[in-house]
């Protein structure tokens, strides 16, 4: 049996990693400025993370959600304090798409409506409602194209006001920093007006923090730069540093109803141990402050080095887009093959940097020198 071929792959097999670096099976070392799609938040193979996972696996890896799991409650309390939303409730699942799926379902259960508003260039996942809320017709199968979703432009409030006032909108779902959409950032003015209109129309506001959350922007959540508070917040990727896990933070306005939501694997013992270790490391090593400081340093260097082909540098913290006047593909491929640096991409001409939050200024400098050799 062969694998179903869904991704174009580099001819590289990664064998092990440490911090912001990985090594392939031939022993070649790479600087990881992508963190496996923003998943590696506290660095590869952090000793505390490895110890916590090993200890929990030796004790109990899984039991069903039909019994009390004290680790879930501990995680809910720790996460609430870390992000400042200790009055919210936490529902744990397995992937970003699943978190968004459940957020949209919960919003529709709450107000009984069927329409969704989403951003142009949005990406929210590949499952049924999540993919329909994703503005990419290439990945929306006919069975998912159910006309629930209207896509609207970023930072232009009037189209949103018009659609919300039409009625029957259950939820607005938005990335305050668009990842796949090119590291495009919502403004505070736009988000504050959108929050008010959602309040006026009894529409749930969902912030998808799957890529931009968990400290990556230099605050725990990206929307916290903008002076708003969502009704529902989805998290994944960095929450467990590579162990499959996600969550939905639910405001007090929502009341649980048995049977509406459920999960088999979500919030299992091993996943919770991973997530608690991540919070330990983020707090003890002040990684949110590090993301803010090193991200600002890296963006400033990128903006002032006068490198050719760079049109614009966008981002917050360690979520950075480098827009080029040439297609990213050749640049990205040369960075991997010649300079041994992993980066991501957005659209056709933007390099996307999503490194572990442990990135140092020295590693940022190393990346600048390698990028220079590719661009000059």
């Amino acid at each position: 049996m062969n694998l179903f071929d869904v991704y174009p792959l580099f001819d590289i097999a990664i064998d092990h990693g440490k911090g912001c670096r990985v090594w392939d099976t031939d022993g070649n070392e790479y600087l990881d400025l992508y963190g496996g799609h923003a998943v590696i938040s506290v660095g590869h193979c952090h000793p505390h993370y490895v110890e916590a996972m090993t200890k929990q696996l030796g004790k109990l890896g899984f039991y069903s959600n039909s019994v009390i799991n004290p680790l879930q409650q501990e995680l809910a309390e720790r996460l609430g304090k870390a992000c400042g939303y200790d009055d919210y409730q936490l529902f744990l699942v397995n992937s970003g798409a699943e978190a968004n799926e459940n957020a949209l379902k919960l919003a529709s259960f709450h107000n009984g409506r069927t329409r969704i508003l989403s951003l142009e260039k949005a990406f929210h996942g590949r499952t049924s409602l999540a993919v329909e809320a994703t503005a990419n017709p290439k990945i929306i199968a006919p069975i998912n194209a159910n006309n629930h979703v209207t896509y609207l432009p970023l930072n232009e409030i009037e189209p949103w006001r018009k659609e919300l006032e039409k009625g029957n909108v259950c939820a607005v779902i938005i990335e305050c920093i668009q990842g796949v959409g090119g590291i495009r950032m919502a403004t505070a003015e736009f988000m504050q007006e959108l929050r008010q209109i959602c309040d006026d129309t009894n529409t749930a506001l969902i912030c998808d923090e799957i890529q931009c959350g968990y400290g990556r922007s230099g605050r725990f959540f990206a929307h916290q730069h903008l002076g708003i508070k969502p009704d529902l917040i989805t998290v994944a990727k960095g929450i467990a540093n590579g162990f499959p896990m996600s969550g939905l933070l639910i405001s007090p306005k929502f009341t649980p109803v048995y049977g509406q939501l459920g999960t088999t694997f979500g919030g299992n013992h091993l996943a919770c141990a991973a997530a608690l270790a991540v919070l330990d490391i983020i707090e003890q090593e002040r990684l949110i402050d590090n993301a803010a400081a090193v991200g600002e340093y890296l963006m400033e260097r990128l903006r002032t080095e006068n490198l050719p082909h760079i049109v614009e540098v966008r981002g917050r913290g360690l979520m950075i887009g480098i827009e080029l006047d040439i297609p990213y593909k050749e640049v990205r491929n040369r960075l991997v093959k010649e300079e041994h640096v992993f980066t991501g991409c957005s659209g056709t001409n933007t390099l996307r940097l999503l490194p572990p939050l442990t990135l140092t200024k020295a590693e940022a400098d190393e990346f600048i020198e390698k990028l220079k050799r590719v661009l000059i």
Side-chain angles (χ1 to χ4, degrees):
M1 182 183 292
N2 291 321
L3 293 172
F4 195 57
D5 191 7
V6 296
Y7 291 116
L9 303 177
F10 289 111
D11 189 20
I12 299 167
I14 298 301
D15 179 72
H16 62 283
K18 183 178 182 180
C20 291
R21 298 180 189 275
V22 293
W23 287 261
D24 67 20
T25 50
D26 294 323
N28 298 305
E29 179 182 325
Y30 298 80
L31 180 62
D32 185 7
L33 270 288
Y34 198 48
H37 303 297
V39 166
I40 302 300
S41 51
V42 299
H44 296 280
C45 297
H46 192 289
H48 178 68
Y49 179 84
V50 173
E51 181 183 7
M53 293 288 280
T54 303
K55 182 179 178 181
Q56 183 60 48
L57 189 58
K59 187 178 180 182
L60 180 68
F62 175 83
Y63 202 75
S64 80
N65 285 309
S66 62
V67 297
I68 294 170
N69 177 352
L71 294 176
Q72 291 183 352
Q73 186 58 45
E74 182 182 356
L75 177 59
E77 292 172 2
R78 290 275 308 279
L79 179 55
K81 289 182 173 66
C83 70
Y85 290 122
D86 53 5
D87 60 333
Y88 279 45
Q89 301 164 89
L90 178 64
F91 176 58
L92 293 167
V93 278
N94 309 284
S95 69
E98 193 176 345
N100 283 333
E101 197 84 19
N102 281 283
L104 292 165
K105 284 173 62 180
L106 192 58
S108 184
F109 277 130
H110 178 70
N111 56 29
R113 301 173 186 172
T114 59
R115 295 181 62 213
I116 299 164
L117 303 185
S118 180
L119 278 173
E120 294 172 354
K121 301 182 180 179
F123 185 91
H124 296 294
R126 297 175 186 271
T127 54
S128 180
L129 275 173
V131 79
E132 192 178 354
T134 293
N136 182 353
K138 293 181 181 178
I139 65 170
I140 301 174
I143 199 170
N144 304 126
N146 295 313
N147 299 314
H148 293 115
V149 184
T150 301
Y151 309 109
L152 299 172
L154 179 65
N155 295 330
E156 296 180 27
I157 195 62
E158 290 310 315
W160 296 81
R161 187 190 311 278
K162 180 180 178 182
E163 289 297 327
L164 283 161
E165 290 177 350
K166 283 183 182 178
N168 201 32
V169 177
C170 76
V172 166
I173 184 167
I174 195 163
E175 305 159 272
C176 290
I177 306 175
Q178 289 189 282
V180 173
I183 315 298
R184 305 283 178 182
M185 296 184 291
T187 66
E189 179 183 19
F190 171 74
M191 287 305 300
Q192 289 169 21
E193 290 192 55
L194 185 57
R195 170 72 277 181
Q196 185 60 57
I197 303 167
C198 286
D199 286 340
D200 293 343
T201 57
N202 190 30
T203 304
L205 177 59
I206 303 169
C207 278
D208 178 339
E209 293 274 354
I210 288 162
Q211 191 169 130
C212 59
Y214 246 79
R216 181 155 298 281
S217 73
R219 300 284 297 273
F220 200 94
F221 291 129
H223 71 259
Q224 291 172 326
H225 293 276
L226 307 177
I228 61 110
K229 202 168 184 179
D231 300 306
L232 299 159
I233 305 164
T234 56
V235 294
K237 295 193 183 294
I239 188 174
N241 203 53
F243 196 91
M245 191 184 201
S246 66
L248 173 58
L249 281 67
I250 304 165
S251 78
K253 72 169 62 175
F254 296 88
T255 301
V257 176
Y258 286 165
Q260 284 187 345
L261 305 181
T263 175
T264 296
F265 297 106
N268 65 73
H269 294 72
L270 196 54
C272 287
L276 287 165
V278 165
L279 286 178
D280 289 341
I281 297 163
I282 286 175
E283 292 165 8
Q284 292 165 8
E285 300 186 8
R286 299 180 64 86
L287 292 187
I288 296 177
D289 291 342
N290 187 71
V294 176
E296 182 179 2
Y297 174 79
L298 178 52
M299 284 188 282
E300 182 64 19
R301 283 213 61 192
L302 287 166
R303 288 166 178 153
T304 58
E305 287 290 322
N306 295 317
L307 295 178
H309 303 300
I310 293 181
V311 175
E312 186 180 14
V313 177
R314 298 183 294 272
R316 279 198 174 99
L318 289 174
M319 186 170 185
I320 299 170
I322 307 170
E323 185 175 337
L324 306 171
D325 63 8
I326 54 177
Y328 75 81
K329 188 173 183 179
E330 181 182 353
V331 175
R332 184 188 182 208
N333 288 349
R334 287 187 61 195
L335 279 169
V336 172
K337 294 174 182 177
E338 298 173 18
E339 300 296 336
H340 288 187
V341 177
F342 283 115
T343 64
C345 59
S346 298
T348 59
N349 63 346
T350 299
L351 290 177
R352 184 166 33 142
L353 307 184
L354 302 163
L357 307 185
T358 58
L359 188 76
T360 65
K361 289 184 178 179
E363 288 167 331
D365 289 336
E366 179 184 345
F367 168 67
I368 294 286
E369 295 308 308
K370 291 175 180 288
L371 182 63
K372 277 183 182 178
R373 291 196 287 266
V374 169
L375 292 179
I376 294 176

